[in-house]
Amino acid sequence: MTLADGREVRVAPVGTLLKEHLEPWTFEHAAQVTGLHVEQIRLFAEGWAQAKRPMVLSSWGANRYMHSDLMNRTKLLCLALKGALGRKGAGYQSTGWVDLDGFSNAMRMEKSGLRGRLAVLFSSITPGELFNSVLDVVRKRKTELEATLEGETKYLNHKLCTTDVVEVNLKSPGYRAALEREQQGLSPRPLGAYYDEAHEKGWSPGLPRKGPPKVFFSGGANLLRRNNLPQYLKAYQLDEMELIVDVNPKFTFTGMHADYILPAAGWYEKPGIKYNVAHVPYLHYTDAAVPPLAESKDEYEIYWLLSREIERLAKERDLPVFDGCGRGPIDWKTLHQRYSNQGTLGQKDAEKLTEEILRSGATEGMTIQGLKQTGIARYTSTGTDVAATSLHNPDWKGEGVLTTLTRFTEHKEPWPTYSGRITTFIDHPWFVEFREQFATHKTSPKAGGDHPFQFVSCHARWSIHSTWRDTPMMLRLQRGEPQVWVNPGDAERIGLEDYAYAEIFNDYGSVRMRVKLSGLVRPGVAYYYHAWEPHQFPNHESYKWLIPGLVNPLHMAGDYGHIRHGMNRYQPGSAVQDTRIGIRPWTGQATGAKPVVQV
Amino acid sequence: MNRKILLMSAPVAMQPGGYVPVAYADRTTPVTAAAEIAVEPGSGGWRVTLAWACPQPVRETVRETDRFADACAVFAPEAPESPWMTMGAQGLAVQGFLWRADRPGLWAIRAEGLGTMQRSAATGTQVSADWDNGRWRVVLSLPEWPALAAQRRVALAVWRGGAQERAGLKSVSAGWVDVA
Amino acid sequence: MRYDIPKPLRQVSMVLDLNKCLGCQTCTIACKKLWNTDEGTDYSYWNSVETLPGRGFPAGVHDPATGGRTVEGGVRRGVVPNLDTAYGRAWTFNHEEARASAGAPDKIWIRPRETVKWGPNFDEDQGQGDYPKDNHYFYLPRLCNHCTHPACVDACPRAAIAKRREDGIVLVDQDRCHGYRFCVEACPYKKVYYDHVRQVSTKCIFCLPRIEEGVAPACARQCPGRLRFVGYRDDEQGPIWKLVEKWKVAIPLHPEYGLGPNVFYVPPMSPPKLDAEGRPTGEPRIPVSYLESLFGAAVHPALEALLAERARRRRGEASELMDLLIAYDWQQNFRLPPRQREVLG
Ligand code: SF4
Ligand code: SF4
């Protein structure tokens, strides 16, 4: 057909394109790629075709490959072809949360009560903007969802001082150079080019800081344990800090490198609520069974005391109001006033704050007293349904199965995509550049060099991340030291003995781990359960020293339908599962990571 | 007095419960064939010396699950008719002292039949034990011991921990031994 | 049995559905933290979870040579397991030294101070077979079976172990116990442990203070797999009776020893083996002969019943058995009326 500018273009329905795209993917072809028998694939396909309610449980672990997007898009495609999305007992169960609006209110609230909640609203959106978007909704130019999504995006990208880990890493030229080297040839242009373009276009805004940070303040995390290539993080960022503080219930590796550790109370030493993904629609409460050990305190109290002290100092020094992260002025002289809701929250008032959180649409009727009795309580709705992580079921009231996405199926609201429909097609210029308009198969790139084993990890059963990872009681249920799981056949071939030390190596150097034989491991894979602390390894260097953590440049794309950035939404992660390693018996040779390459 | 006493294997067939008599039915020859005993009046009481051959002593059992310590016991009848083989009987108790190589002091013991032994701290006693050249020599310094004073006879038992001996698995004197 | 063991008025009991066990060891820790953190019992696990096929806990427990019973149910001499090679010593660690070395050139890393020879979960997930053809394993959580004819009771020359009249829970009277360990030796399940500091035997008490309050044992309550059922064997409304007597899918471990265990297992079904080309065969991955070596011949009808009911459910028909095993309402897994609490002296 002819466009307005006179150009001739050929038009084809997406469905036709999709069919064409899938044509070469016969069972035989899939068998070749996967190594599975055709018969297995056929059995699965038949099962899928016959299934009344196919459901895919796809959790965090499904996002740890360079090409996880393609895998997830494939799962969604299979579900969409079955019409399974947004249907009871079927569909995609990912990491959607029941949205506790009370939680975000309590976090941002600087005054108690209704005045506080209104303030929250106006801190993310001006009255003028609010008026306009109400008008948009009333005039039906936008759905309520679209309007709120917009407001939320604005808040996340232009108000909240937040950024993603990859952004922090890539900010450092040294780190970025290492990753660019690693990812050479993986994309049409170098990684840095996408990074720069995304920033120019405001797709992936990052934090527009005025200067480099001087203080690394860590709470509820263990970054030096967790970051990929921590040697780069250390050399290029941490070593430049003037102060490092760790607020933590445990003595972490990050804490070991901090100037100060503020000991936080452990679980069962402080009250708290935990909320979780949609397929377990319950709020969990943990009570303080025993008082905090020694000098440790509830984090709420630590920050209460700390903010009071900072406010005192700021007043004493008459600190000016300044814009630290480029997202608006911050007045340290009112820090504690704001933290304590103008003095309404005292040092020990963590539970009062919890009560505030329980003022959520999804927790109607729940009280702390009640939760103390029952430990758990079923949600009463899916919440405000604003966040991208939320569930989009406006009807569910705590009874029966929580089916997600019914807003778009039963209620026929447009899907929050470019076309307003379920779509398998993305023609964002970068996706076109990568030839990823449709989900397809791409081979896992060899991160860390061309070595025979793929180094794959999983959440551990003996710990929650690094919490309890070095607890003697849990270590006794393993073998006391970090282990690499290998298939017995592979082990025999290489001459690895069960429980012996092995040297795990790739282009970044080597580390030492204990060999564990297991029939669950596919030949050619070296498996590890994650989150060992680096100081559980010789030289205090964990496997993380070997994992570059590839970045998919497409995750920095934006401004296209559902491809839009925000915390916990569409943002780059670092893919660890593509890492390649070699394994050889350890016979006393020196091991260690190679020095950080200077730029 | 320093007498050599031939020991016998305590008959397992009469041990209480269904397990020990069957599981250890093969224990018919004594693990420790003989012991020497000397019972002498000491300062304000008695001095009993026991010695026996033990090729591999077991002195330590801490932080182990499958180790049994070497031990010996000497006991006297409370009544003239108290049977020795069954460690007394109801109303006919035996009483004495138990030494175990993994403990510093002595236990006072009292029993009225198999499986009824009561142990308590033996006050006013001292013990010294040496293992040398394949033999244990255990010297018990005891206070007044009315049962011995009255009945003037004792029985003894020796356990070799290395052979898993404990409880009724022991080498014992073949009856009361008269003390002059 | 030489002792006259009076039949208890009721028998409390547990059923574990092995098809649902994740091997998470929550049960192990729930139990351990509650009852077993003393120095002398730090190595012991009243509740343990083994990967099978494997050596078990303690190592060798499924080898008929270690227990005090013959496979015909007679008595034979058993073995007291070694702390290093069978149980695994509760290793201690060097956290302080490791932390202190953070800034030093020679780094000390966290590791066991003792030589590691074996541990309670040492061959976890090892299993048997070749990937992807027939690799297989499953988890076997174990606790004391509170046997009808307990070998431990029979073994104690001091009659320090007894079966409670009220509920059949088998208890060690530690005031009577002299630490002779015939019970440890005789129990073919190796579920009596020796406290090497206090020098007495200890064993699972089926969380009796909880049972008396009508609360299921910690291992069962905290199991995220919801695979444990607790109740009385004679309660025809309860899950135990239904699974053991009515549907006969819950069967005891090692019935050949003749102890009459009161803990029962729903045996594991498994996906098919693949043939040389990688095609699924009709044969289950876990060889039924192996299951038979654990659960005896009753495993055949049990598996058949399970498969048949599962097929019914798949066809959309009703199945009381599958509903029960799925544990829709987890509270229904436990039927334990609270009792007058006995004051223990
Ligand atoms: S399993 Fe062992 S310890 Fe438990 S009652 Fe039976 S014989 Fe005794
Ligand atoms: S807690 Fe339950 S699922 Fe976890 S290992 Fe124990 S029995 Fe298995």
Side-chain angles (χ1 to χ4, degrees):
Chain A
M1 61 180 276
T2 317
L3 296 181
D5 63 6
R7 268 189 301 148
E8 285 284 320
V9 288
R10 277 180 50 200
V11 176
V14 166
T16 314
L17 294 177
L18 177 63
K19 240 178 127 186
E20 231 170 71
H21 169 77
L22 293 178
E23 209 67 56
W25 286 99
T26 58
F27 291 165
E28 286 71 20
H29 186 184
Q32 239 173 20
V33 170
T34 57
L36 296 172
H37 193 272
V38 172
E39 216 40 52
Q40 273 175 293
I41 300 176
R42 189 187 313 280
L43 259 176
F44 176 78
E46 277 166 9
W48 186 266
Q50 284 161 13
K52 286 209 188 75
R53 294 192 172 99
M55 175 183 281
V56 176
L57 267 171
S58 185
S59 194
W60 307 97
N63 303 312
R64 309 185 80 208
Y65 292 86
M66 178 73 165
H67 297 307
S68 284
D69 268 15
L70 295 174
M71 301 177 194
N72 287 325
R73 284 174 70 193
T74 309
K75 294 173 211 163
L76 286 164
L77 170 64
C78 291
L79 287 163
L81 291 175
K82 284 285 294 182
L85 293 170
R87 267 180 47 205
K88 184 177 170 186
Y92 197 62
Q93 283 281 12
S94 179
T95 44
W97 283 323
V98 167
D99 188 44
L100 296 189
D101 40 327
F103 186 68
S104 42
N105 284 350
M107 264 190 16
R108 299 180 223 160
M109 199 147 51
E110 294 170 8
K111 291 188 178 66
S112 61
L114 185 65
R115 257 176 75 210
R117 272 183 285 281
L118 278 175
V120 172
L121 189 63
F122 288 117
S123 76
S124 50
I125 189 165
T126 65
E129 284 169 334
L130 182 65
F131 178 77
N132 284 339
S133 66
V134 170
L135 209 63
D136 280 344
V137 174
V138 172
R139 296 243 170 108
K140 300 226 186 283
R141 284 195 292 247
K142 281 179 188 155
T143 63
E144 202 179 322
L145 176 70
E146 282 165 339
T148 34
L149 260 176
E150 246 167 46
E152 194 209 25
T153 305
K154 224 172 243 163
Y155 174 76
L156 292 179
N157 286 344
H158 302 289
K159 276 276 172 206
L160 199 63
C161 281
T162 175
T163 182
D164 55 82
V165 175
V166 168
E167 163 76 22
V168 171
N169 290 343
L170 294 186
K171 265 241 148 85
S172 131
Y175 207 125
R176 205 205 299 187
L179 264 188
E180 277 196 351
R181 243 191 328 275
E182 182 65 49
Q183 298 200 200
Q184 237 163 38
L186 286 187
S187 46
R189 290 179 279 151
L191 178 64
Y194 298 98
Y195 176 80
D196 294 338
E197 188 184 329
H199 279 72
E200 271 159 35
K201 297 194 164 148
W203 291 348
S204 180
L207 267 190
R209 282 185 191 286
K210 307 269 162 68
K214 293 180 184 158
V215 179
F216 176 62
F217 195 100
S218 166
N222 188 0
L223 190 69
L224 261 191
R225 188 288 294 163
R226 183 175 197 165
N227 207 63
N228 299 314
L229 297 186
Q231 62 269 46
Y232 282 82
L233 181 74
K234 212 170 160 306
Y236 287 116
Q237 309 207 28
L238 276 205
D239 287 354
E240 285 157 19
M241 296 291 159
E242 284 174 18
L243 177 70
I244 303 178
V245 184
D246 189 27
V247 180
N248 218 304
K250 76 167 284 205
F251 212 134
T252 63
F253 188 66
T254 309
M256 274 167 58
H257 292 81
D259 300 289
Y260 294 100
I261 292 176
L262 303 179
W267 287 263
Y268 310 110
E269 292 175 354
K270 59 189 170 198
I273 50 171
K274 322 263 172 287
Y275 61 110
N276 43 3
V277 289
H279 42 279
V280 193
Y282 289 87
L283 182 78
H284 289 231
Y285 179 80
T286 38
D287 212 346
V290 288
L293 215 56
E295 286 180 71
S296 63
K297 293 180 168 54
D298 188 335
E299 279 97 336
Y300 165 83
E301 190 179 350
I302 292 178
Y303 293 122
W304 193 94
L305 290 166
L306 207 56
S307 62
R308 188 178 64 175
E309 194 56 19
I310 292 173
E311 185 179 288
R312 193 185 62 76
L313 273 173
K315 281 180 176 160
E316 203 178 282
R317 297 182 192 170
D318 196 19
L319 281 188
V321 172
F322 62 93
D323 180 2
C325 59
R327 295 244 165 107
I330 291 170
D331 186 359
W332 294 92
K333 285 186 286 196
T334 60
L335 181 68
H336 185 66
Q337 275 177 54
R338 286 180 282 129
Y339 184 85
S340 64
N341 263 351
Q342 312 300 326
T344 48
L345 292 175
Q347 185 175 343
K348 305 271 181 196
D349 278 347
E351 289 207 342
K352 247 171 132 176
L353 194 68
T354 310
E355 269 165 14
E356 205 53 61
I357 298 169
L358 290 180
R359 271 184 240 261
S360 297
T363 55
E364 253 165 57
M366 288 188 205
T367 61
I368 293 182
Q369 274 321 315
L371 283 168
K372 273 188 208 272
Q373 287 299 312
T374 55
I376 57 168
R378 205 167 159 91
Y379 290 121
T380 54
S381 79
T382 61
T384 50
D385 270 347
V386 177
T389 45
S390 71
L391 308 172
H392 300 296
N393 181 333
D395 305 317
W396 188 78
K397 289 286 169 278
E399 297 289 325
V401 177
L402 200 180
T403 309
T404 58
L405 305 176
T406 55
R407 180 193 285 278
F408 313 114
T409 51
E410 285 165 27
H411 290 266
K412 304 281 182 216
E413 272 190 36
W415 291 79
T417 61
Y418 194 62
S419 59
R421 313 168 122 214
I422 293 177
T423 179
T424 54
F425 182 69
I426 302 174
D427 63 352
H428 184 285
W430 285 10
F431 281 69
V432 177
E433 187 178 324
F434 277 70
R435 310 191 63 75
E436 292 189 19
Q437 296 103 308
F438 285 115
T440 184
H441 168 77
K442 284 191 174 179
T443 316
S444 162
K446 294 186 169 165
D450 190 1
H451 303 281
F453 285 92
Q454 189 157 353
F455 201 35
V456 177
S457 75
C458 188
H459 277 154
R461 272 175 290 181
W462 314 264
S463 70
I464 310 292
H465 300 269
S466 64
T467 303
W468 301 301
R469 201 66 180 108
D470 56 350
T471 305
M473 190 176 282
M474 302 315 293
L475 288 174
R476 288 178 195 136
L477 289 176
Q478 303 165 71
R479 290 160 164 202
E481 282 179 89
Q483 318 188 80
V484 59
W485 295 45
V486 288
N487 181 279
D490 279 346
E492 207 189 317
R493 208 166 29 76
I494 315 176
L496 298 171
E497 300 253 337
D498 189 34
Y499 186 65
Y501 279 124
E503 186 185 358
I504 314 292
F505 62 94
N506 71 8
D507 293 0
Y508 292 91
S510 71
V511 299
R512 220 198 293 168
M513 293 172 91
R514 295 265 184 201
V515 173
K516 164 103 187 87
L517 303 184
S518 172
L520 87 82
V521 183
R522 193 167 91 188
V525 166
Y527 204 72
Y528 62 97
Y529 286 97
H530 87 149
W532 297 100
E533 291 276 14
H535 54 294
Q536 293 180 275
F537 292 77
N539 312 326
H540 291 190
E541 291 170 351
S542 74
Y543 52 81
K544 281 283 186 186
W545 270 248
L546 308 183
I547 296 180
L550 301 184
V551 176
N552 186 345
L554 289 182
H555 292 172
M556 294 184 254
D559 204 16
Y560 176 101
H562 48 295
I563 310 291
R564 78 168 94 182
H565 281 259
M567 192 170 70
N568 284 343
R569 193 186 295 166
Y570 197 77
Q571 62 180 48
S574 58
V576 299
Q577 311 287 52
D578 302 288
T579 307
R580 299 301 199 276
I581 55 152
I583 313 178
R584 56 184 160 237
W586 184 74
T587 52
Q589 69 267 33
T591 57
K594 290 183 186 162
V596 168
V597 183
Q598 298 296 329
V599 285
Chain B
M1 186 203 85
N2 194 354
R3 283 172 56 185
K4 182 172 175 179
I5 312 282
L6 290 182
L7 302 182
M8 58 179 281
S9 187
V12 292
M14 56 186 215
Q15 284 295 315
Y19 174 73
V20 177
V22 183
Y24 288 90
D26 57 342
R27 296 252 167 146
T28 47
T29 47
V31 174
T32 305
E36 279 173 33
I37 182 168
V39 181
E40 298 147 311
S43 56
W46 298 87
R47 183 184 146 94
V48 176
T49 311
L50 286 169
W52 69 94
C54 174
Q56 288 235 293
V58 182
R59 296 187 185 89
E60 295 261 329
T61 57
V62 284
R63 302 203 70 77
E64 295 296 343
T65 45
D66 57 352
R67 278 182 167 228
F68 299 95
D70 293 331
C72 67
V74 54
F75 54 90
E78 276 186 12
E81 318 81 70
S82 297
W84 63 271
M85 174 65 82
T86 55
M87 300 282 291
Q90 208 171 8
L92 301 170
V94 298
Q95 50 150 284
F97 300 90
L98 171 63
W99 168 82
R100 224 169 66 182
D102 60 345
R103 291 171 48 86
L106 286 180
W107 268 313
I109 54 172
R110 188 169 185 277
E112 294 188 35
L114 289 173
T116 66
M117 190 223 280
Q118 302 289 322
R119 301 184 301 208
S120 56
T123 46
T125 64
Q126 276 185 339
V127 63
S128 75
D130 287 302
W131 183 87
D132 187 31
N133 207 13
R135 281 182 80 73
W136 274 114
R137 187 167 174 277
V138 182
V139 182
L140 290 61
S141 306
L142 307 173
E144 278 190 38
W145 185 356
L148 175 61
Q151 308 301 334
R152 303 203 74 77
R153 49 193 198 163
V154 294
L156 57 128
V158 171
W159 289 268
R160 187 185 293 171
Q164 310 276 295
E165 283 195 318
R166 76 278 197 192
L169 304 178
K170 60 191 172 185
S171 304
V172 294
S173 58
W176 295 114
V177 177
D178 289 326
V179 176
Chain C
M1 298 284 145
R2 272 259 288 267
Y3 288 121
D4 176 28
I5 300 166
K7 194 171 163 0
L9 299 173
R10 298 191 83 182
Q11 176 67 53
V12 78
S13 173
M14 195 183 290
V15 169
L16 298 92
D17 180 357
L18 298 182
N19 292 287
K20 293 169 79 180
C21 179
L22 344 156
C24 65
Q25 306 274 4
T26 308
C27 48
T28 307
I29 294 296
C31 171
K32 185 128 191 77
K33 281 297 275 183
L34 196 53
W35 301 115
N36 261 312
T37 48
D38 284 2
E39 203 191 331
T41 54
D42 54 5
Y43 76 92
S44 72
Y45 294 87
W46 289 356
N47 182 99
S48 54
V49 184
E50 306 163 356
T51 295
L52 288 185
R55 295 185 64 200
F57 176 77
V61 62
H62 301 286
D63 173 354
T66 60
R69 310 289 289 191
T70 66
V71 291
E72 291 84 33
V75 169
R76 61 182 296 286
R77 194 186 306 168
V79 173
V80 179
N82 180 264
L83 188 54
D84 282 303
T85 56
Y87 293 120
R89 205 167 276 277
W91 318 306
T92 59
F93 292 86
N94 55 342
H95 287 68
E96 286 76 21
E97 288 97 307
R99 280 178 211 134
S101 75
D106 284 333
K107 310 251 190 270
I108 294 165
W109 71 96
I110 295 173
R111 59 174 160 166
R113 290 204 180 91
E114 297 80 4
T115 315
V116 171
K117 292 187 180 152
W118 190 253
N121 200 21
F122 210 73
D123 55 356
E124 177 173 33
D125 290 8
Q126 189 163 330
Q128 239 161 39
D130 291 327
Y131 188 104
K133 243 181 81 212
D134 61 351
N135 54 321
H136 63 273
Y137 60 80
F138 63 95
Y139 301 112
L140 181 72
R142 296 204 301 115
L143 60 153
C144 166
N145 295 298
H146 296 276
C147 303
T148 303
H149 315 290
C152 55
V153 171
D154 196 38
C156 180
R158 295 184 56 77
I161 311 184
K163 216 170 153 53
R164 287 220 316 178
R165 208 165 145 265
E166 302 86 331
D167 45 30
I169 294 176
V170 175
L171 294 177
V172 177
D173 178 348
Q174 294 189 332
D175 293 331
R176 283 197 64 77
C177 175
H178 276 185
Y180 295 147
R181 286 161 270 173
F182 291 114
C183 51
V184 178
E185 198 178 282
C187 170
Y189 302 97
K190 295 293 172 241
K191 278 297 173 190
V192 194
Y193 296 89
Y194 177 60
D195 179 332
H196 54 71
V197 171
R198 293 169 59 234
Q199 303 192 330
V200 287
S201 286
T202 80
K203 66 177 288 302
C204 162
I205 59 172
F206 212 80
C207 285
L208 80 88
R210 298 167 63 110
I211 291 289
E212 287 174 353
E213 303 283 349
V215 178
C219 58
R221 274 293 291 220
Q222 296 205 14
C223 170
R226 298 182 171 195
L227 58 96
R228 296 187 184 223
F229 300 85
V230 184
Y232 290 92
R233 285 201 58 185
D234 59 2
D235 175 8
E236 297 194 5
Q237 303 312 310
I240 306 290
W241 188 85
K242 284 182 185 153
L243 293 167
V244 175
E245 314 292 342
K246 182 174 176 194
W247 286 98
K248 297 191 169 32
V249 291
I251 51 180
L253 178 67
H254 293 307
E256 66 274 21
Y257 297 130
L259 305 187
N262 287 303
V263 170
F264 301 85
Y265 295 94
V266 178
M269 298 174 273
S270 54
K273 279 184 189 174
L274 307 180
D275 67 12
E277 272 73 54
R279 278 183 302 241
T281 65
E283 223 184 309
R285 265 165 197 263
I286 305 171
V288 180
S289 59
Y290 177 70
L291 293 178
E292 196 177 331
S293 78
L294 297 171
F295 301 107
V299 80
H300 296 281
L303 284 173
E304 277 157 28
L306 285 168
L307 290 166
E309 287 303 301
R310 193 170 69 174
R312 279 169 67 101
R313 200 72 167 80
R314 281 207 175 137
R315 288 195 302 268
E317 295 163 32
S319 166
E320 179 199 42
L321 177 62
M322 285 297 126
D323 286 354
L324 199 58
L325 291 176
I326 288 168
Y328 283 116
D329 185 356
W330 163 74
Q331 301 285 348
Q332 299 299 314
N333 281 25
F334 312 126
R335 255 176 71 99
L336 289 163
R339 283 202 317 256
Q340 184 63 40
R341 183 159 189 173
E342 179 194 2
V343 179
L344 292 171

